[in-house]
Amino acid sequence: MSTLKGNAVVGQSGGPTNVINQSLVGVIQNIKANPNIDKLLGCKHGVKGVINDDYVQLNNVPDELLERIARTPSSALGSTRDKPDEAYCKKIFENFQKNNVRYFFYIGGNDSADTARIVGEMGIKAGHELHVFHIPKTIDNDLRVHDHTPGYGSAAKFVAQAMMGDNYDNKSLPGIKVNVIMGRHAGFLTAASALARKYENDGPHLIYIPEAGVSEEKFLADVDAVYKKLGRCLIAVSEGMATPDGKTYAEKIASNVEKDSHGNIQLSGTGALGDYLSGLITKNLTPAGGKKLRVRADTFGYLQRSFAGIISEVDAKEARTVGRKAVDYSADQKNIEGSVCMTRKTGSSYAVDLHLESIKNVARETKHMPKEFIQNGNDVTQAFLDYARPLVGDLPTVGSFAELNK
Amino acid sequence: MSTLKGNAVVGQSGGPTNVINQSLVGVIQNIKANPNIDKLLGCKHGVKGVINDDYVQLNNVPDELLERIARTPSSALGSTRDKPDEAYCKKIFENFQKNNVRYFFYIGGNDSADTARIVGEMGIKAGHELHVFHIPKTIDNDLRVHDHTPGYGSAAKFVAQAMMGDNYDNKSLPGIKVNVIMGRHAGFLTAASALARKYENDGPHLIYIPEAGVSEEKFLADVDAVYKKLGRCLIAVSEGMATPDGKTYAEKIASNVEKDSHGNIQLSGTGALGDYLSGLITKNLTPAGGKKLRVRADTFGYLQRSFAGIISEVDAKEARTVGRKAVDYSADQKNIEGSVCMTRKTGSSYAVDLHLESIKNVARETKHMPKEFIQNGNDVTQAFLDYARPLVGDLPTVGSFAELNK
């Protein structure tokens, strides 16, 4: 194969994370590892920047600034929810031809991986050789093949710390509390709330994820049982919480729901699900003695993906590494496409191996929580906790007077 | 005055904060500073624990555990929303007589201060001398006389860091975003969102607090103007956001709202206000070109008062100090009652003076944002930023490619 010389484009796509800029900085800092690449162009707002010819030159950004950008939440180049069709991809490709772009590094989820794949295939057909590399990110942790994805650990850390604090809040002023956590199809992020537990009877007491459907009757019976036992109940639910027939509660609630540009129903940026569930509890459960139930709901919303200062250090390091590695892989001319993939090493301490996986094995379809991570349809297993803990890292040290009774 | 010997009770009341346990630990660690105090009893769930005779002995708690409890969110002894009437106060007082309680340290807001005051006055009337000390806490920062209150700095830090992240999120995927922040009557916490700004055009672009009423028409016009200029708009609103005639939006929205045990309308633990405002924007504003507006709302909810790991170090230190100081003041037998009060020293660097203020000057009524902190009814002034910054402390260091164009 001939040596492919030209320019490179790097872009960020989809929902931001707290470490997506680590991957970007990994690409920028390592770009010299591929001597065939001349200019590195950052496209503003993902592929939208490509078709608008809106680029920023990234070859000579000072390291001091790069290190600050790496610790900054969200996508420093801007992001997009555009899901390019054939015509859109053609425009991308034509811009790449015009700018002599031969390498495309796209940081995103499964939709972004698919975009990269299509543009790469167009290149092959048109005789404009183009090597495309997908750099994974998603707080949903739902990419196939990947053991886990950069962005998940930091969002999971936010969820765990939020739930830790809310557990103490709920213990101090007892009642029933519903916390709605991101996750349309995959329950990994909601499941991470279980990491908050330290003492006996700590919440969350119930965890509902999209993969384990629950009827309203079962949900209410679960809540009632916990409340009767503990006098309080802390509940974690995924925004994609579903009934046993696979229909989401969000669909049930909303007669007139907003759909995003991928045709997905809007689940974030609204308190509707939390308010629905707290209303359901208030209407159906009555505590002993006719006292009024204290029922509240919080929707963690966008904070969980972009809160400044809550970063898993393992996640940050891995996000940087997959960015750097993409450039390393691009230097090997036999790699014409691929997604930078982490698999977990077997053994007692946590470590990952990296390899380049064909994008077609990552694109479009998503991964779900495996059965061995789910317990009774309303909790997670020890296997899940063992899986998630190293990705999240240390949580704040806390204490309770309960220790005096030990 | 004779030397008052006996036992002491310490309790926590009202909405928890992230540093309320610092004050508790300050009392526990310093209790030997008053040699007239024998046993230190912690009442579980505030005054509810007193009337239920539900105490934990706190004289010999290991320091290692105390230091962990001090860093743990929420009220380690449990809290209560009970607002005692005359009969309830009598039960408190009778329990104090039974247990030979001569000193009462109550950590709470203005309602808790009032409870302490009433019980103390009952003591005087009944000839059972009782010295009562109010230790301030509230994320609302609305205690009269006090320059600021422990708990505010940490909650304000959470709000600032949340808004920093959300500003980058909103920049990356532009749209209109409403963030609802706690604060029923006082806008201090919502105002702290302005600390998130670093670069030109950073959000929050609009800030609405209870003290500056705004009509729906003015609100929409403000949002429209920002959106037309920047293509995005990040809005911070207090849960107690009000119309110019002083009516809250929450009252407007809810025909059937829940009231808490103090007769206040429930503003937290629901996404109703955020959803109402985002609906208002969606219905009334149409962007150029007929494109659909992307409008989202998040309600920060209970996270802002109890998120594990987000603590202002100044706030933590001051919360500990006011707890310790209460015990110091109690040793001086001329102090029969008082609220431990911080005033700010004049001068260029931040420092506080402490004194004991009569509880009647703190109890019941609340403080509002002064006029000199409010700008145009939709923003805060530099004077507010100068006031709030030392209370919050350092925020995460961030970076942007915008610096390249300087």
Side-chain angles (χ1 to χ4, degrees):
Chain A
M1 189 180 282
S2 69
T3 298
L4 186 64
K5 286 184 185 292
N7 299 319
V9 162
V10 62
Q12 296 171 303
S13 178
T17 81
N18 251 356
V19 298
I20 190 169
N21 290 335
Q22 291 280 359
S23 297
L24 175 65
V25 168
V27 170
I28 298 172
Q29 288 184 330
N30 199 30
I31 201 70
K32 290 198 176 79
N34 184 342
N36 299 315
I37 293 174
D38 181 18
K39 274 188 288 187
L40 176 64
L41 303 169
C43 54
K44 299 261 194 80
H45 295 285
V47 287
K48 201 185 277 184
V50 175
I51 64 168
N52 293 333
D53 208 33
D54 190 7
Y55 291 112
V56 51
Q57 245 267 32
L58 295 174
N59 294 69
N60 299 305
V61 185
D63 261 322
E64 184 277 329
L65 175 58
L66 286 179
E67 292 300 337
R68 276 189 287 124
I69 288 174
R71 308 283 301 177
T72 302
S74 194
S75 312
L77 288 173
S79 189
T80 179
R81 288 282 186 194
D82 283 1
K83 188 176 171 137
D85 57 11
E86 192 83 11
Y88 196 120
C89 285
K90 196 158 173 274
K91 281 192 203 162
I92 296 172
F93 173 68
E94 284 166 0
N95 181 284
F96 283 177
Q97 275 189 309
K98 181 185 120 182
N99 288 308
N100 192 30
V101 174
R102 298 294 186 165
Y103 297 89
F104 181 32
F105 301 97
Y106 210 27
I107 310 166
N110 58 315
D111 286 330
S112 315
D114 205 38
T115 301
R117 184 187 62 79
I118 295 169
V119 175
E121 285 174 3
M122 277 186 171
I124 292 171
K125 274 188 211 154
H128 173 87
E129 200 179 341
L130 176 70
H131 292 190
V132 295
F133 299 91
H134 170 245
I135 298 166
K137 78 81 216 169
T138 164
I139 63 165
D140 292 329
N141 200 37
D142 63 352
L143 295 187
R144 292 176 294 151
V145 187
H146 297 250
D147 174 77
H148 61 280
T149 48
Y152 172 65
S154 296
K157 189 178 166 76
F158 179 92
V159 167
Q161 290 187 207
M163 195 63 80
M164 280 178 80
D166 205 42
N167 173 61
Y168 291 107
D169 198 302
N170 181 259
K171 223 165 153 174
S172 142
L173 288 170
I176 297 174
K177 177 74 191 296
V178 178
N179 286 324
V180 181
I181 296 163
M182 278 183 170
R184 194 178 291 271
H185 304 295
F188 291 101
L189 196 54
T190 305
S193 64
L195 295 169
R197 296 174 188 148
K198 173 173 171 153
Y199 298 104
E200 206 188 335
N201 297 331
D202 268 357
H205 307 105
L206 297 167
I207 299 174
Y208 298 100
I209 59 172
E211 292 88 340
V214 63
S215 67
E216 293 194 353
E217 293 69 30
K218 175 68 163 59
F219 171 76
L220 287 167
D222 285 355
V223 174
D224 195 42
V226 172
Y227 190 78
K228 282 211 172 85
K229 187 183 162 204
L230 303 177
R232 68 187 190 101
C233 184
L234 190 59
I235 310 158
V237 310
S238 292
E239 56 183 8
M241 180 184 180
T243 51
D245 62 2
K247 206 168 173 158
T248 63
Y249 276 68
E251 284 173 289
K252 280 183 62 159
I253 298 161
S255 52
N256 186 11
V257 289
E258 188 175 346
K259 292 195 176 189
D260 72 18
S261 56
H262 292 192
N264 297 318
I265 291 174
Q266 189 204 324
L267 296 177
S268 299
T270 159
L273 176 59
D275 288 351
Y276 177 78
L277 294 174
S278 64
L280 194 67
I281 295 167
T282 306
K283 255 177 279 167
N284 290 283
L285 301 187
T286 17
K291 268 185 61 180
K292 203 164 172 302
L293 272 182
R294 183 176 177 271
V295 189
R296 300 287 185 268
D298 274 332
T299 303
F300 288 2
Y302 291 103
L303 273 55
Q304 60 204 303
R305 76 179 189 196
S306 64
F307 191 90
I310 298 289
I311 297 167
S312 151
E313 292 306 325
V314 167
D315 191 28
K317 191 166 155 272
E318 290 181 346
R320 181 81 67 108
T321 301
V322 294
R324 293 185 63 88
K325 271 302 224 184
V327 178
D328 287 342
Y329 288 129
S330 75
D332 185 340
Q333 295 291 303
K334 79 171 186 296
N335 295 324
I336 60 169
E337 63 94 19
S339 177
V340 182
C341 190
M342 292 187 285
T343 51
R344 200 178 291 227
K345 281 185 181 166
T346 49
S348 57
S349 70
Y350 172 79
V352 292
D353 280 320
L354 283 104
H355 74 277
L356 198 63
E357 179 77 31
S358 179
I359 293 177
K360 68 177 183 301
N361 298 332
V362 176
R364 281 182 298 187
E365 286 169 59
T366 56
K367 189 170 76 175
H368 296 274
M369 283 266 283
K371 281 204 173 60
E372 63 267 28
F373 285 175
I374 307 171
Q375 188 163 287
N376 297 332
N378 63 17
D379 205 346
V380 298
T381 60
Q382 186 60 42
F384 170 76
L385 294 171
D386 295 342
Y387 163 85
R389 212 179 291 277
L391 311 179
V392 168
D394 289 341
L395 294 171
T397 303
V398 289
S400 162
F401 289 120
E403 293 185 31
L404 295 175
N405 308 327
K406 270 186 187 162
Chain B
M1 189 179 284
S2 69
T3 297
L4 186 65
K5 286 183 186 290
N7 298 319
V9 162
V10 60
Q12 297 171 304
S13 178
T17 81
N18 251 355
V19 297
I20 190 170
N21 290 334
Q22 292 280 357
S23 297
L24 174 65
V25 168
V27 171
I28 298 172
Q29 288 183 332
N30 200 31
I31 200 69
K32 290 199 178 79
N34 184 343
N36 299 315
I37 294 175
D38 180 18
K39 274 189 288 185
L40 176 64
L41 303 170
C43 54
K44 299 262 195 81
H45 296 284
V47 287
K48 201 185 277 183
V50 175
I51 62 167
N52 292 332
D53 207 33
D54 190 7
Y55 290 112
V56 52
Q57 245 267 30
L58 294 174
N59 293 70
N60 298 304
V61 185
D63 261 324
E64 184 278 328
L65 175 57
L66 287 179
E67 291 300 338
R68 276 189 287 122
I69 287 173
R71 307 284 299 178
T72 302
S74 195
S75 313
L77 288 174
S79 190
T80 179
R81 288 281 185 194
D82 283 1
K83 188 177 171 136
D85 56 13
E86 193 83 9
Y88 196 120
C89 285
K90 197 159 172 272
K91 281 191 205 164
I92 296 172
F93 174 67
E94 284 166 0
N95 182 283
F96 283 177
Q97 276 189 308
K98 179 185 120 183
N99 289 308
N100 191 30
V101 173
R102 297 293 185 168
Y103 296 90
F104 181 31
F105 301 98
Y106 209 28
I107 310 166
N110 58 316
D111 286 330
S112 316
D114 205 37
T115 302
R117 183 187 61 78
I118 295 169
V119 175
E121 287 175 2
M122 278 186 171
I124 292 169
K125 274 187 212 157
H128 174 87
E129 199 180 342
L130 175 71
H131 291 190
V132 295
F133 299 91
H134 170 246
I135 299 166
K137 75 82 215 166
T138 163
I139 63 166
D140 292 330
N141 199 39
D142 62 353
L143 294 189
R144 291 177 295 150
V145 188
H146 296 252
D147 174 78
H148 61 281
T149 47
Y152 172 66
S154 296
K157 189 177 165 77
F158 180 92
V159 167
Q161 291 187 205
M163 195 63 80
M164 279 177 81
D166 206 42
N167 173 60
Y168 290 108
D169 197 302
N170 182 258
K171 221 165 154 175
S172 141
L173 288 170
I176 297 173
K177 177 76 192 295
V178 178
N179 286 323
V180 181
I181 296 162
M182 278 183 171
R184 193 179 292 273
H185 305 294
F188 291 102
L189 196 54
T190 304
S193 65
L195 294 170
R197 297 173 187 149
K198 173 173 172 154
Y199 298 105
E200 205 187 335
N201 296 330
D202 268 356
H205 307 105
L206 298 167
I207 299 174
Y208 298 101
I209 59 173
E211 292 88 340
V214 63
S215 67
E216 293 194 352
E217 295 67 31
K218 174 68 164 59
F219 171 77
L220 287 166
D222 285 355
V223 174
D224 195 42
V226 173
Y227 190 79
K228 282 213 171 85
K229 187 182 162 205
L230 303 177
R232 68 186 189 102
C233 184
L234 190 58
I235 311 157
V237 310
S238 292
E239 55 183 9
M241 179 185 179
T243 52
D245 62 2
K247 206 169 172 156
T248 63
Y249 277 69
E251 283 173 290
K252 281 184 59 161
I253 298 161
S255 51
N256 186 12
V257 289
E258 188 176 347
K259 291 196 176 188
D260 70 20
S261 55
H262 293 194
N264 296 319
I265 290 174
Q266 189 203 325
L267 296 176
S268 298
T270 160
L273 177 58
D275 289 352
Y276 177 78
L277 293 174
S278 66
L280 194 69
I281 295 166
T282 306
K283 256 178 278 167
N284 290 284
L285 300 187
T286 17
K291 267 184 64 179
K292 201 166 171 308
L293 273 183
R294 182 177 177 272
V295 188
R296 301 285 185 270
D298 274 331
T299 303
F300 289 1
Y302 292 101
L303 273 55
Q304 60 204 304
R305 75 181 188 193
S306 65
F307 191 90
I310 299 288
I311 297 167
S312 152
E313 292 306 325
V314 168
D315 190 28
K317 191 166 154 273
E318 290 181 344
R320 181 81 68 108
T321 301
V322 293
R324 293 184 64 86
K325 271 303 224 185
V327 178
D328 287 342
Y329 288 130
S330 75
D332 187 339
Q333 296 291 303
K334 77 170 189 294
N335 296 323
I336 60 168
E337 64 93 20
S339 177
V340 183
C341 190
M342 293 187 284
T343 52
R344 198 177 294 228
K345 282 185 180 165
T346 49
S348 57
S349 71
Y350 173 79
V352 292
D353 279 321
L354 283 102
H355 74 278
L356 198 63
E357 179 76 31
S358 178
I359 293 178
K360 67 177 185 297
N361 298 333
V362 177
R364 281 181 302 186
E365 284 170 58
T366 57
K367 190 171 77 176
H368 294 275
M369 283 265 286
K371 282 206 171 59
E372 61 267 29
F373 285 176
I374 307 171
Q375 188 163 286
N376 298 330
N378 63 18
D379 205 346
V380 298
T381 60
Q382 185 60 42
F384 170 77
L385 295 171
D386 294 341
Y387 163 85
R389 211 179 292 279
L391 312 180
V392 168
D394 289 340
L395 293 171
T397 303
V398 290
S400 162
F401 289 121
E403 293 186 31
L404 294 175
N405 308 327
K406 271 183 187 164

